[in-house]
Amino acid sequence: MENINVKYVAVIMIWLVVNTGGPASAAITCGSVLTSISPCISYVQRGGVVPTSCCDGVKALNDKTRATPDLQAACTCLKALIPSVGANAALVNGLPAKCHVDLPYQYSPSLDCSKLTR
């Protein structure tokens, strides 16, 4: 349990850093990204059954990123959050299909979020 608390603190710290430097025109924040994906954290760490609340969050996040600046901002947040929680990249990249959501990118540490468009 203590290990999970440390990871959440790390996520919040990264959120504070990333949230201060996203695209100025984006309406989405790292806080809203974190809120949307927090039910997915245990799944992307260990696998198993994807919680319904996780898919609901993934769908909601996708709906919030219809404009290019929001998509880029969410991508930037996710790119910082994913490694901070010890997520498995294969589980992360399989999540959209499991939740029946079509995302225009897959996570990788080298992903250039500034090149994403809607």
Side-chain angles (χ1 to χ4, degrees), residues 24-61:
S25 60
I28 197 164
T29 66
C30 285
S32 64
V33 171
L34 178 58
T35 298
S36 294
I37 66 156
S38 63
C40 304
I41 292 175
S42 64
Y43 170 77
V44 297
Q45 289 172 333
R46 294 180 286 284
V49 177
V50 178
T52 301
S53 58
C54 170
C55 285
D56 292 344
V58 169
K59 290 173 185 173
L61 181 58

Side-chain angles (χ1 to χ4, degrees), residues 4-6 10 12 22 24 27 42 45 56 64 66 70 80 83 89 93 111:
I4 291 173
N5 290 335
V6 171
I12 291 168
S42 64
Q45 289 172 333
D56 292 344
K64 292 178 189 175
R66 294 294 178 202
D70 292 324
N93 287 327
L111 175 63

